[in-house]
Amino acid sequence: MPVPWFLLSLALGRSPVVLSLERLVGPQDATHCSPGLSCHLWDSDILCLPGDIMPAPGPVLAPTHLQTELVLRCHKETDCDLCVRVAVHLAVHGHWEEPEDEEKFGGAADPGVEEPRNASLQAQVVLSFQAYPTARCVLLEVQVPAALVQFGQSVGSVVYDCFEAALGSEVRIWSYTQPRYEKELNLTQQLPALPWLNVSADGDNVHLVLNVSEEQHFGLSLYWNQVQGPPKPRWHKNLTGPQIITLNHTDLVPCLCIQVWPLEPDSVRTNICPFREDPRAHRNLWRAARLRLLTLQSWLLDAPCSLPAEAALCWRAPGGDPCQPLVPPLSWENVTVDKVLEFPLLKGHPNLCVQVNSWEKLQLQECLWADSLGPLKDDVLLLETRGPQDNRSLCALEPSGCTSLPSKASTLWDDDLGALWACPMDKYIHKRWALVWLACLLFAAALSLILLLKKDHAKAAARSRAALLLYSADDSGFERLVGALASALCQLPLRVAVDLWSRRELSAQGPVAWFHAQRRQTLQEGGVVVLLFSPGAVALCSEWLQDGVSAPGAHGPHDAFRASLSCVLPDFLQGRAPGSYVGACFDRLLHPDAVPALFRTVPVFTLPSQLPDFLGALQQPRAARSGRLQERAEQVSRALQPALDSYFHPPGTPAPGRGVGPGARDGT
């Protein structure tokens, strides 16, 4: 139904631009173009099907700019509709390819080839118009004479009259050629609204104020405006007279729009979308967004409105650590609302989650497979990568990075770049040292709570440096000697950890888990790990370095040194040991040269002859080295001497440990 002129004047205001609006008489659409061009409008609308971009066969006409103008289409002198006039500016893009004979020999090409270059250019230009609830596409045929064909230059414009639109509506216009050689142009414009519909805020609520007469019957609809696809209706009601409708702020989203129209045949509908820039609406949009798992590999993002986002898989381990994005090897994927996405998964896993980012900020994270596969598992994720010669390597994912390992497990994902593997901890704990080390990582999460409970104790000893003492339990006499050394070191500003004092925890957790937790805590606090070498320790190290496997049952159930090699060796092999490890051995039991060369990359001290240097390596790096160090060495030596005498000269028995392994001396 045409809108009376006085309503249009209220909506459009008194600006000079509006007062000079051109009036078109009659319902017919029309087109005209710049001088020199010829154009024609097809009699009926066409289907809006842009099609795929095709390579241009030579010079083609292409839309370069869209320009709109508001005009009035009047049915009577005072009854007019608001109409959008669209001008499409065109230019010549592309070029003729040079003939092969002219390129190769520099001669003149066949005269017949020159003829197309002097011909005119034709194009079919499509204009697509959308203003809820209307969508139209029209086809304009344009012809440019040869005299105006200049590559890269504008040739003029073609104008279409016109697309009718309701007051207050948002119009979207696209333009492209058929066939399509370039990406389509697009333009969005908000038309002025009637003054009797406005939006006001009152605290957390929003009021829709409709100032109409008491006798006026009208319809009111709320809908979600969609960039792709039809709008989604949310609420509709027929009303009478002035109304104030209250919306809760939690219902606001950027694409929430309002449509109002009088309850009359063929009435004009007014649309406004007032919440596009409202910060509350954008926060509500992400609160309403959900990830939905469709199949094992496919999922989609469900949200009221379109939004810019990208997604990637991540791995969430038990214990509350942040979910680690699997980028690389996977990459961030652009996300379209309600469009099915797929990751190349062969199996699901409860620890696999999906992260959705917007503007480099994490907005959404859900573990989609946890509902069907159960809670998080104590599994560790291994990544297999393939090099240029198909050489493969395996590494374990942990917060600090990916540590190299030589093994395989049950695969989750696979492509030309490599694979992801989920490795159950208990399945590989007794196999090669690399997988034992991997099991340590899983136990660490379970021990985090215990470490927090010991926080007060750690604060009390904050000024002393942590020292973890590792040794091989060759015999009971050597264990007593180690205990005496640990007790003597405790008299200094050192916090000493040794398995002799933690047998209950060691039995409950197992040597691998106990050592891994102690080693990690010691190194995180800037402490030092002491490797106390004996003939038995040297034999174990040589065994691991040669075969990668320790002889089962060769040592006692509480021997943390045997279990610790799986975690110690990577630190030495990857050059992380200097500054965090020191070695030591007793003077009459083992010569330093008997220690394997790999472990001599850190200082190895003989005790008690090199006690001052040994204690200097144990103290804080910032501590001053003065005469105080010599006093402490004498103090430790006095405390240690009775245990040394008892070990090397027990009454009535030969000294244990003599001639037990490489480098052992007779003590004479």
Side-chain angles (χ1 to χ4, degrees):
M1 184 185 74
V3 182
W5 172 247
F6 77 93
L7 282 181
L8 277 176
S9 63
L10 287 175
L12 300 177
R14 298 183 175 277
S15 77
V17 175
V18 172
L19 291 177
S20 62
L21 287 185
E22 181 181 343
R23 294 192 181 195
L24 306 178
V25 180
Q28 293 81 14
D29 294 343
T31 184
H32 59 275
C33 45
S34 301
L37 307 184
S38 60
C39 52
H40 170 71
L41 172 66
W42 275 38
D43 295 336
S44 59
D45 290 359
I46 64 171
L47 293 177
C48 301
L49 300 174
D52 297 329
I53 296 179
M54 301 175 56
V60 294
L61 288 178
T64 59
H65 179 61
L66 289 176
Q67 190 174 0
T68 61
E69 179 185 2
L70 294 181
V71 296
L72 298 177
R73 171 170 283 170
C74 298
H75 305 268
K76 297 180 181 179
E77 180 65 26
T78 58
D79 290 335
C80 302
D81 285 331
L82 197 60
C83 212
V84 180
R85 170 183 287 167
V86 182
V88 185
H89 295 265
L90 303 170
V92 179
H93 289 177
H95 56 82
W96 293 112
E97 295 185 0
E98 294 294 334
E100 291 187 6
D101 55 351
E102 185 175 355
E103 289 181 1
K104 292 182 179 179
F105 307 109
D110 188 343
V113 179
E114 296 290 344
E115 187 173 342
R117 304 190 184 194
N118 298 323
S120 61
L121 287 182
Q122 294 182 348
Q124 291 184 330
V125 179
V126 178
L127 278 177
S128 175
F129 177 86
Q130 186 181 76
Y132 179 75
T134 303
R136 293 183 58 196
C137 279
V138 297
L139 183 64
L140 312 175
E141 289 187 334
V142 184
Q143 183 171 351
V144 180
L148 297 180
V149 176
Q150 297 183 8
F151 302 131
Q153 299 296 319
S154 174
V155 296
S157 62
V158 57
V159 178
Y160 171 74
D161 285 327
C162 61
F163 293 113
E164 292 185 11
L167 289 167
S169 63
E170 179 187 77
V171 298
R172 295 190 178 119
I173 303 170
W174 292 268
S175 179
Y176 50 89
T177 59
Q178 203 174 47
R180 189 160 66 101
Y181 301 118
E182 297 181 0
K183 185 177 180 181
E184 63 267 20
L185 296 178
N186 64 83
L187 177 67
T188 301
Q189 184 173 359
Q190 183 72 47
L191 301 187
L194 290 174
W196 43 266
L197 173 62
N198 61 77
V199 180
S200 63
D202 180 16
D204 289 338
N205 296 323
V206 173
H207 297 315
L208 306 182
V209 181
L210 297 104
N211 295 318
V212 298
S213 63
E214 294 183 359
E215 298 81 12
Q216 177 70 59
H217 301 275
F218 61 92
L220 178 68
S221 175
L222 302 180
Y223 63 94
W224 288 342
N225 194 22
Q226 304 295 299
V227 174
Q228 295 180 344
K232 296 181 180 179
R234 304 300 299 167
W235 183 84
H236 167 79
K237 197 168 185 179
N238 293 336
L239 302 169
T240 302
Q243 294 281 344
I244 297 179
I245 298 172
T246 302
L247 301 178
N248 193 292
H249 72 96
T250 58
D251 297 328
L252 305 183
V253 290
C255 62
L256 179 63
C257 298
I258 306 158
Q259 185 179 81
V260 183
W261 66 98
L263 295 177
E264 300 174 2
D266 300 326
S267 59
V268 175
R269 300 193 175 205
T270 299
N271 299 269
I272 61 172
C273 302
F275 308 112
R276 286 193 190 89
E277 307 300 329
D278 193 319
R280 296 175 300 178
H282 285 272
R283 289 194 295 269
N284 292 338
L285 176 59
W286 281 110
R287 293 192 186 104
R290 292 293 181 268
L291 299 177
R292 289 201 291 121
L293 184 65
L294 303 179
T295 65
L296 174 64
Q297 297 92 358
S298 61
W299 60 278
L300 59 79
L301 174 62
D302 189 3
C305 316
S306 62
L307 40 79
E310 54 183 7
L313 284 176
C314 66
W315 180 264
R316 185 180 178 186
D321 290 333
C323 199
Q324 287 187 263
L326 303 181
V327 180
L330 300 180
S331 59
W332 288 100
E333 298 286 343
N334 291 329
V335 179
T336 301
V337 172
D338 293 335
K339 181 180 179 181
V340 177
L341 293 177
E342 293 188 358
F343 283 119
L345 293 174
L346 301 180
K347 295 182 182 178
H349 195 283
N351 295 34
L352 279 176
C353 307
V354 176
Q355 287 183 337
V356 180
N357 281 11
S358 181
W359 305 111
E360 299 184 355
K361 180 181 179 182
L362 178 62
Q363 297 287 0
L364 198 59
Q365 176 179 300
E366 292 189 27
C367 300
L368 300 178
W369 294 269
D371 291 340
S372 58
L373 300 179
L376 300 179
K377 294 184 179 180
D378 283 338
D379 288 355
V380 69
L381 193 68
L382 286 78
L383 167 63
E384 181 190 40
T385 56
R386 302 175 188 174
Q389 276 91 34
D390 202 31
N391 53 328
R392 304 187 180 191
S393 62
L394 197 67
C395 68
L397 185 68
E398 57 180 339
S400 59
C402 212
T403 304
S404 298
L405 295 170
S407 187
K408 293 184 179 179
S410 175
T411 183
L412 294 178
W413 165 80
D414 197 359
D415 71 355
D416 294 336
L417 298 178
L420 298 178
W421 314 80
C423 176
M425 174 266 305
D426 55 353
K427 185 175 179 180
Y428 295 97
I429 191 170
H430 297 299
K431 292 190 177 182
R432 297 173 67 178
W433 66 267
L435 292 178
V436 175
W437 177 88
L438 187 56
C440 298
L441 298 178
L442 295 177
F443 274 107
L447 294 175
S448 59
L449 181 60
I450 299 174
L451 297 179
L452 289 176
L453 295 177
K454 294 183 177 181
K455 185 177 180 181
D456 292 339
H457 174 73
K459 287 183 177 179
R463 294 186 178 180
S464 58
R465 192 182 191 192
L468 174 60
L469 190 59
L470 301 178
Y471 67 98
S472 172
D474 291 4
D475 51 51
S476 59
F478 187 72
E479 282 191 305
R480 287 192 293 271
L481 183 58
V482 172
L485 176 62
S487 298
L489 293 178
C490 284
Q491 300 175 20
L492 308 177
L494 286 173
R495 289 180 287 114
V496 180
V498 63
D499 66 338
L500 284 171
W501 300 340
S502 305
R503 285 290 167 83
R504 181 176 298 178
E505 295 179 10
L506 195 68
S507 298
Q509 301 171 15
V512 173
W514 182 86
F515 165 73
H516 179 72
Q518 295 295 328
R519 166 186 164 276
R520 185 176 65 173
Q521 181 180 3
T522 300
L523 297 183
Q524 284 180 347
E525 295 176 358
V528 61
V529 179
V530 180
L531 301 179
L532 190 58
F533 289 99
S534 65
V538 169
L540 271 177
C541 292
S542 301
E543 203 174 302
W544 274 89
L545 291 174
Q546 291 173 4
D547 302 327
V549 179
S550 172
H555 298 270
H558 304 300
D559 187 0
F561 186 83
R562 179 163 58 100
S564 70
L565 287 178
S566 62
C567 293
V568 167
L569 282 174
D571 288 341
F572 279 87
L573 291 172
Q574 298 178 18
R576 298 195 298 260
S580 300
Y581 287 78
V582 298
C585 58
F586 291 106
D587 283 316
R588 289 179 288 174
L589 185 61
L590 188 73
H591 193 277
D593 293 341
V595 176
L598 176 65
F599 297 97
R600 280 186 271 127
T601 56
V602 301
V604 178
F605 304 97
T606 57
L607 306 179
S609 61
Q610 293 183 327
L611 260 174
D613 294 333
F614 176 66
L615 298 181
L618 296 186
Q619 69 180 0
Q620 294 283 3
R622 299 182 300 273
R625 299 176 181 270
S626 61
R628 180 82 172 155
L629 191 61
Q630 185 63 35
E631 295 178 9
R632 291 175 178 173
E634 293 174 359
Q635 179 183 352
V636 172
S637 180
R638 287 193 299 270
L640 188 60
Q641 194 60 47
L644 288 170
D645 293 340
S646 176
Y647 181 74
F648 287 106
H649 303 290
T653 60
R658 296 181 183 177
V660 177
R665 295 190 287 181
D666 59 6
T668 57

